[in-house]
Amino acid sequence: MDAVAPPDEPLAIFGGTFDPVHLGHLRAAWEVAETLQAEVRLLPARVPPHRPQPVATAAQRIALLRAALAGQSRLQLDLSELDREGPSYTIDTLEALRAGIGRVRPLVLLLGQDAFAGLTTWRRWADLFAHAHVVVMTRPGKEPAWPSDLQREWARRLAEGPAALRMAPAGHVLPLNVTALAISASHVRDLLAAGREPRWLVPDALLADPALLAPYRT
Ligand code: ATP
């Protein structure tokens, strides 16, 4: 049976705490959007189950994301995890998104290599592939160490290239090299807490309004 390319562009979601958003997030999301010709949505998490609570409130993180994303339309903000009660499990998010977009449109979960390495600890991790493809943003030369369960899924689901993700709604994995920017939100928070300015690690728009990064300047 010939696969028929779905008419819609892939919808890719990039989850995180964004505490605060920085140029590492934005550049990676941008490159994926271009390579996959996808709509990319940044999806801030309210209560991430795997991590300590964010320093900034949800409203503060949203304000930072809105400022960062202003002036372009390729990357969008999706507040559906923040609107939902309880912890944000990715499987719930994907199920809700899938219900919203229907069965045909390709849905893509974007993960950093580190996050992917821990996938088998996520709630109903093997079910994720029923709803979405998984694109792992990699860095050249960095060899991942994955549990054997994950290696098996990887080998079984590996796509030949971005085009394969348009031919099915879900179920493939694909590594994508993105420009390695060694920026982390924790480093940005440390700089701000020490009274320093994270210029050129975060978008200029975050520095233009002193109120935006104030939650980290304690
Ligand atoms: P923290 O330093 O607080 O752990 P973080 O900078 O890793 O935060 P998160 O909000 O936890 O940011 O990350 C969300 C997603 O962005 C994850 O999938 C993570 O792998 C990815 N990511 C974070 N920093 C980068 C970066 N510099 N380049 C590419 N992807 C990144």
mmCIF file of all heavy atoms in Angstrom, residues 18-51:
data_model
loop_
_atom_site.group_PDB
_atom_site.id
_atom_site.type_symbol
_atom_site.label_atom_id
_atom_site.label_comp_id
_atom_site.label_asym_id
_atom_site.label_seq_id
_atom_site.Cartn_x
_atom_site.Cartn_y
_atom_site.Cartn_z
ATOM 1 N N PHE A 18 11.635 26.549 30.341
ATOM 2 C CA PHE A 18 11.913 27.900 29.842
ATOM 3 C C PHE A 18 12.019 28.882 31.011
ATOM 4 O O PHE A 18 11.288 29.866 31.089
ATOM 5 C CB PHE A 18 10.854 28.328 28.820
ATOM 6 C CG PHE A 18 10.745 27.372 27.670
ATOM 7 C CD1 PHE A 18 9.629 26.557 27.509
ATOM 8 C CD2 PHE A 18 11.783 27.239 26.764
ATOM 9 C CE1 PHE A 18 9.546 25.643 26.461
ATOM 10 C CE2 PHE A 18 11.708 26.332 25.706
ATOM 11 C CZ PHE A 18 10.586 25.531 25.561
ATOM 12 N N ASP A 19 12.952 28.603 31.882
ATOM 13 C CA ASP A 19 13.073 29.314 33.171
ATOM 14 C C ASP A 19 14.450 29.970 33.291
ATOM 15 O O ASP A 19 15.200 29.593 34.182
ATOM 16 C CB ASP A 19 12.834 28.294 34.306
ATOM 17 C CG ASP A 19 12.773 28.940 35.678
ATOM 18 O OD1 ASP A 19 12.328 30.094 35.756
ATOM 19 O OD2 ASP A 19 13.160 28.289 36.663
ATOM 20 N N PRO A 20 14.835 30.929 32.425
ATOM 21 C CA PRO A 20 14.073 31.539 31.334
ATOM 22 C C PRO A 20 14.441 30.935 29.981
ATOM 23 O O PRO A 20 15.418 30.208 29.868
ATOM 24 C CB PRO A 20 14.565 32.997 31.380
ATOM 25 C CG PRO A 20 16.025 32.853 31.741
ATOM 26 C CD PRO A 20 16.093 31.673 32.688
ATOM 27 N N VAL A 21 13.626 31.301 28.958
ATOM 28 C CA VAL A 21 13.967 30.934 27.577
ATOM 29 C C VAL A 21 15.293 31.594 27.211
ATOM 30 O O VAL A 21 15.607 32.685 27.693
ATOM 31 C CB VAL A 21 12.827 31.380 26.619
ATOM 32 C CG1 VAL A 21 12.633 32.889 26.612
ATOM 33 C CG2 VAL A 21 13.048 30.832 25.206
ATOM 34 N N HIS A 22 16.104 30.894 26.380
ATOM 35 C CA HIS A 22 17.404 31.453 25.981
ATOM 36 C C HIS A 22 17.677 31.133 24.515
ATOM 37 O O HIS A 22 16.884 30.431 23.859
ATOM 38 C CB HIS A 22 18.521 30.942 26.907
ATOM 39 C CG HIS A 22 18.620 29.452 27.009
ATOM 40 N ND1 HIS A 22 19.023 28.654 25.966
ATOM 41 C CD2 HIS A 22 18.334 28.604 28.044
ATOM 42 C CE1 HIS A 22 19.009 27.390 26.350
ATOM 43 N NE2 HIS A 22 18.579 27.322 27.608
ATOM 44 N N LEU A 23 18.801 31.615 24.010
ATOM 45 C CA LEU A 23 19.076 31.470 22.577
ATOM 46 C C LEU A 23 19.365 30.019 22.182
ATOM 47 O O LEU A 23 19.197 29.662 21.014
ATOM 48 C CB LEU A 23 20.237 32.387 22.160
ATOM 49 C CG LEU A 23 19.920 33.886 22.230
ATOM 50 C CD1 LEU A 23 21.130 34.712 21.788
ATOM 51 C CD2 LEU A 23 18.712 34.254 21.370
ATOM 52 N N GLY A 24 19.783 29.175 23.125
ATOM 53 C CA GLY A 24 19.958 27.744 22.835
ATOM 54 C C GLY A 24 18.633 27.118 22.440
ATOM 55 O O GLY A 24 18.539 26.397 21.440
ATOM 56 N N HIS A 25 17.578 27.396 23.232
ATOM 57 C CA HIS A 25 16.239 26.897 22.890
ATOM 58 C C HIS A 25 15.799 27.419 21.520
ATOM 59 O O HIS A 25 15.307 26.666 20.675
ATOM 60 C CB HIS A 25 15.174 27.416 23.871
ATOM 61 C CG HIS A 25 15.334 27.023 25.295
ATOM 62 N ND1 HIS A 25 15.301 27.925 26.329
ATOM 63 C CD2 HIS A 25 15.487 25.802 25.881
ATOM 64 C CE1 HIS A 25 15.411 27.304 27.482
ATOM 65 N NE2 HIS A 25 15.542 26.010 27.249
ATOM 66 N N LEU A 26 15.939 28.736 21.362
ATOM 67 C CA LEU A 26 15.320 29.392 20.199
ATOM 68 C C LEU A 26 16.008 28.991 18.904
ATOM 69 O O LEU A 26 15.369 28.735 17.892
ATOM 70 C CB LEU A 26 15.348 30.912 20.393
ATOM 71 C CG LEU A 26 14.472 31.390 21.560
ATOM 72 C CD1 LEU A 26 14.779 32.846 21.892
ATOM 73 C CD2 LEU A 26 12.986 31.224 21.234
ATOM 74 N N ARG A 27 17.335 28.930 18.955
ATOM 75 C CA ARG A 27 18.066 28.568 17.735
ATOM 76 C C ARG A 27 17.759 27.113 17.341
ATOM 77 O O ARG A 27 17.544 26.803 16.168
ATOM 78 C CB ARG A 27 19.570 28.792 17.948
ATOM 79 C CG ARG A 27 20.414 28.529 16.731
ATOM 80 C CD ARG A 27 20.089 29.490 15.586
ATOM 81 N NE ARG A 27 20.322 28.827 14.317
ATOM 82 C CZ ARG A 27 19.978 29.322 13.123
ATOM 83 N NH1 ARG A 27 19.380 30.502 13.026
ATOM 84 N NH2 ARG A 27 20.226 28.651 12.037
ATOM 85 N N ALA A 28 17.725 26.214 18.328
ATOM 86 C CA ALA A 28 17.423 24.805 18.042
ATOM 87 C C ALA A 28 16.019 24.678 17.448
ATOM 88 O O ALA A 28 15.818 24.006 16.432
ATOM 89 C CB ALA A 28 17.543 23.974 19.311
ATOM 90 N N ALA A 29 15.053 25.349 18.064
ATOM 91 C CA ALA A 29 13.669 25.283 17.577
ATOM 92 C C ALA A 29 13.581 25.846 16.164
ATOM 93 O O ALA A 29 12.882 25.301 15.300
ATOM 94 C CB ALA A 29 12.737 26.060 18.513
ATOM 95 N N TRP A 30 14.294 26.913 15.912
ATOM 96 C CA TRP A 30 14.273 27.561 14.597
ATOM 97 C C TRP A 30 14.835 26.622 13.521
ATOM 98 O O TRP A 30 14.259 26.464 12.446
ATOM 99 C CB TRP A 30 15.092 28.843 14.664
ATOM 100 C CG TRP A 30 15.028 29.651 13.416
ATOM 101 C CD1 TRP A 30 15.905 29.627 12.375
ATOM 102 C CD2 TRP A 30 14.009 30.586 13.064
ATOM 103 N NE1 TRP A 30 15.499 30.497 11.400
ATOM 104 C CE2 TRP A 30 14.338 31.100 11.792
ATOM 105 C CE3 TRP A 30 12.846 31.047 13.709
ATOM 106 C CZ2 TRP A 30 13.549 32.044 11.148
ATOM 107 C CZ3 TRP A 30 12.066 31.994 13.058
ATOM 108 C CH2 TRP A 30 12.421 32.485 11.798
ATOM 109 N N GLU A 31 15.965 26.008 13.827
ATOM 110 C CA GLU A 31 16.596 25.120 12.839
ATOM 111 C C GLU A 31 15.703 23.913 12.547
ATOM 112 O O GLU A 31 15.591 23.470 11.400
ATOM 113 C CB GLU A 31 17.979 24.676 13.331
ATOM 114 C CG GLU A 31 18.976 25.832 13.301
ATOM 115 C CD GLU A 31 20.386 25.435 13.720
ATOM 116 O OE1 GLU A 31 20.707 24.244 13.773
ATOM 117 O OE2 GLU A 31 21.166 26.363 14.011
ATOM 118 N N VAL A 32 15.067 23.382 13.583
ATOM 119 C CA VAL A 32 14.157 22.251 13.370
ATOM 120 C C VAL A 32 12.972 22.687 12.515
ATOM 121 O O VAL A 32 12.552 21.974 11.600
ATOM 122 C CB VAL A 32 13.687 21.676 14.724
ATOM 123 C CG1 VAL A 32 12.540 20.698 14.519
ATOM 124 C CG2 VAL A 32 14.836 20.998 15.451
ATOM 125 N N ALA A 33 12.436 23.866 12.795
ATOM 126 C CA ALA A 33 11.297 24.368 12.013
ATOM 127 C C ALA A 33 11.672 24.469 10.547
ATOM 128 O O ALA A 33 10.900 24.087 9.658
ATOM 129 C CB ALA A 33 10.849 25.724 12.553
ATOM 130 N N GLU A 34 12.855 24.962 10.269
ATOM 131 C CA GLU A 34 13.290 25.100 8.878
ATOM 132 C C GLU A 34 13.520 23.729 8.235
ATOM 133 O O GLU A 34 13.093 23.474 7.118
ATOM 134 C CB GLU A 34 14.573 25.931 8.805
ATOM 135 C CG GLU A 34 14.327 27.412 9.040
ATOM 136 C CD GLU A 34 15.564 28.265 8.788
ATOM 137 O OE1 GLU A 34 16.689 27.761 8.976
ATOM 138 O OE2 GLU A 34 15.399 29.424 8.418
ATOM 139 N N THR A 35 14.218 22.850 8.948
ATOM 140 C CA THR A 35 14.572 21.544 8.366
ATOM 141 C C THR A 35 13.341 20.683 8.123
ATOM 142 O O THR A 35 13.235 20.023 7.093
ATOM 143 C CB THR A 35 15.550 20.788 9.293
ATOM 144 O OG1 THR A 35 16.653 21.638 9.540
ATOM 145 C CG2 THR A 35 16.040 19.502 8.663
ATOM 146 N N LEU A 36 12.426 20.671 9.069
ATOM 147 C CA LEU A 36 11.223 19.836 8.932
ATOM 148 C C LEU A 36 10.104 20.554 8.184
ATOM 149 O O LEU A 36 9.070 19.952 7.914
ATOM 150 C CB LEU A 36 10.689 19.421 10.309
ATOM 151 C CG LEU A 36 11.566 18.571 11.212
ATOM 152 C CD1 LEU A 36 10.801 18.201 12.476
ATOM 153 C CD2 LEU A 36 12.038 17.309 10.495
ATOM 154 N N GLN A 37 10.301 21.835 7.903
ATOM 155 C CA GLN A 37 9.211 22.667 7.357
ATOM 156 C C GLN A 37 7.951 22.464 8.202
ATOM 157 O O GLN A 37 6.880 22.119 7.694
ATOM 158 C CB GLN A 37 8.947 22.327 5.903
ATOM 159 C CG GLN A 37 10.140 22.632 5.007
ATOM 160 C CD GLN A 37 9.949 22.097 3.610
ATOM 161 O OE1 GLN A 37 8.879 22.220 3.039
ATOM 162 N NE2 GLN A 37 10.992 21.487 3.057
ATOM 163 N N ALA A 38 8.152 22.664 9.482
ATOM 164 C CA ALA A 38 7.096 22.378 10.445
ATOM 165 C C ALA A 38 6.659 23.650 11.155
ATOM 166 O O ALA A 38 7.392 24.629 11.213
ATOM 167 C CB ALA A 38 7.607 21.380 11.485
ATOM 168 N N GLU A 39 5.441 23.581 11.692
ATOM 169 C CA GLU A 39 5.028 24.578 12.665
ATOM 170 C C GLU A 39 5.615 24.121 14.003
ATOM 171 O O GLU A 39 5.400 22.983 14.404
ATOM 172 C CB GLU A 39 3.491 24.607 12.740
ATOM 173 C CG GLU A 39 2.959 25.493 13.836
ATOM 174 C CD GLU A 39 1.446 25.308 14.057
ATOM 175 O OE1 GLU A 39 0.778 24.644 13.244
ATOM 176 O OE2 GLU A 39 0.957 25.828 15.076
ATOM 177 N N VAL A 40 6.372 24.964 14.661
ATOM 178 C CA VAL A 40 6.953 24.582 15.951
ATOM 179 C C VAL A 40 6.296 25.395 17.057
ATOM 180 O O VAL A 40 6.210 26.619 16.968
ATOM 181 C CB VAL A 40 8.481 24.792 15.972
ATOM 182 C CG1 VAL A 40 9.034 24.567 17.380
ATOM 183 C CG2 VAL A 40 9.166 23.838 14.999
ATOM 184 N N ARG A 41 5.831 24.692 18.075
ATOM 185 C CA ARG A 41 5.232 25.375 19.230
ATOM 186 C C ARG A 41 6.084 25.141 20.464
ATOM 187 O O ARG A 41 6.395 23.987 20.795
ATOM 188 C CB ARG A 41 3.838 24.822 19.506
ATOM 189 C CG ARG A 41 2.855 25.126 18.413
ATOM 190 C CD ARG A 41 1.468 24.735 18.889
ATOM 191 N NE ARG A 41 0.533 24.694 17.773
ATOM 192 C CZ ARG A 41 -0.652 24.104 17.828
ATOM 193 N NH1 ARG A 41 -1.039 23.488 18.949
ATOM 194 N NH2 ARG A 41 -1.452 24.112 16.797
ATOM 195 N N LEU A 42 6.434 26.219 21.137
ATOM 196 C CA LEU A 42 7.116 26.117 22.430
ATOM 197 C C LEU A 42 6.050 25.932 23.498
ATOM 198 O O LEU A 42 5.077 26.696 23.560
ATOM 199 C CB LEU A 42 7.950 27.378 22.698
ATOM 200 C CG LEU A 42 9.367 27.351 22.144
ATOM 201 C CD1 LEU A 42 9.398 27.110 20.655
ATOM 202 C CD2 LEU A 42 10.111 28.631 22.479
ATOM 203 N N LEU A 43 6.245 24.915 24.314
ATOM 204 C CA LEU A 43 5.200 24.488 25.236
ATOM 205 C C LEU A 43 5.730 24.531 26.672
ATOM 206 O O LEU A 43 6.318 23.563 27.139
ATOM 207 C CB LEU A 43 4.861 23.040 24.860
ATOM 208 C CG LEU A 43 3.497 22.536 25.135
ATOM 209 C CD1 LEU A 43 2.687 22.554 23.848
ATOM 210 C CD2 LEU A 43 3.568 21.102 25.638
ATOM 211 N N PRO A 44 5.540 25.655 27.354
ATOM 212 C CA PRO A 44 6.051 25.712 28.729
ATOM 213 C C PRO A 44 5.285 24.775 29.657
ATOM 214 O O PRO A 44 4.066 24.683 29.583
ATOM 215 C CB PRO A 44 5.851 27.180 29.128
ATOM 216 C CG PRO A 44 4.886 27.739 28.151
ATOM 217 C CD PRO A 44 4.928 26.904 26.909
ATOM 218 N N ALA A 45 6.025 24.076 30.518
ATOM 219 C CA ALA A 45 5.411 23.120 31.446
ATOM 220 C C ALA A 45 5.094 23.819 32.760
ATOM 221 O O ALA A 45 5.848 24.657 33.238
ATOM 222 C CB ALA A 45 6.366 21.967 31.693
ATOM 223 N N ARG A 46 3.956 23.457 33.353
ATOM 224 C CA ARG A 46 3.563 24.081 34.618
ATOM 225 C C ARG A 46 4.233 23.395 35.801
ATOM 226 O O ARG A 46 4.892 24.018 36.606
ATOM 227 C CB ARG A 46 2.052 24.010 34.786
ATOM 228 C CG ARG A 46 1.571 24.810 35.961
ATOM 229 C CD ARG A 46 0.119 25.111 35.827
ATOM 230 N NE ARG A 46 -0.651 23.887 35.983
ATOM 231 C CZ ARG A 46 -1.465 23.672 36.992
ATOM 232 N NH1 ARG A 46 -1.605 24.578 37.928
ATOM 233 N NH2 ARG A 46 -2.144 22.562 37.074
ATOM 234 N N VAL A 47 4.051 22.090 35.909
ATOM 235 C CA VAL A 47 4.652 21.336 37.016
ATOM 236 C C VAL A 47 5.420 20.168 36.420
ATOM 237 O O VAL A 47 4.903 19.076 36.325
ATOM 238 C CB VAL A 47 3.580 20.806 37.992
ATOM 239 C CG1 VAL A 47 4.222 20.212 39.237
ATOM 240 C CG2 VAL A 47 2.585 21.894 38.363
ATOM 241 N N PRO A 48 6.642 20.376 35.978
ATOM 242 C CA PRO A 48 7.367 19.272 35.339
ATOM 243 C C PRO A 48 7.649 18.160 36.335
ATOM 244 O O PRO A 48 8.235 18.406 37.385
ATOM 245 C CB PRO A 48 8.668 19.912 34.856
ATOM 246 C CG PRO A 48 8.716 21.269 35.463
ATOM 247 C CD PRO A 48 7.416 21.584 36.095
ATOM 248 N N PRO A 49 7.187 16.938 36.052
ATOM 249 C CA PRO A 49 7.324 15.868 37.035
ATOM 250 C C PRO A 49 8.764 15.444 37.304
ATOM 251 O O PRO A 49 9.050 14.954 38.380
ATOM 252 C CB PRO A 49 6.540 14.713 36.423
ATOM 253 C CG PRO A 49 6.171 15.097 35.046
ATOM 254 C CD PRO A 49 6.475 16.535 34.837
ATOM 255 N N HIS A 50 9.668 15.679 36.335
ATOM 256 C CA HIS A 50 11.027 15.161 36.488
ATOM 257 C C HIS A 50 11.986 16.167 37.112
ATOM 258 O O HIS A 50 13.161 15.887 37.212
ATOM 259 C CB HIS A 50 11.613 14.781 35.122
ATOM 260 C CG HIS A 50 10.745 13.869 34.333
ATOM 261 N ND1 HIS A 50 10.414 12.619 34.761
ATOM 262 C CD2 HIS A 50 10.109 14.041 33.158
ATOM 263 C CE1 HIS A 50 9.618 12.060 33.861
ATOM 264 N NE2 HIS A 50 9.422 12.905 32.896
ATOM 265 N N ARG A 51 11.495 17.344 37.448
ATOM 266 C CA ARG A 51 12.445 18.408 37.787
ATOM 267 C C ARG A 51 11.999 19.213 38.995
ATOM 268 O O ARG A 51 10.836 19.206 39.354
ATOM 269 C CB ARG A 51 12.560 19.385 36.609
ATOM 270 C CG ARG A 51 12.823 18.723 35.296
ATOM 271 C CD ARG A 51 13.088 19.752 34.254
ATOM 272 N NE ARG A 51 13.791 20.891 34.832
ATOM 273 C CZ ARG A 51 14.627 21.636 34.154
ATOM 274 N NH1 ARG A 51 14.863 21.378 32.910
ATOM 275 N NH2 ARG A 51 15.218 22.654 34.738
#
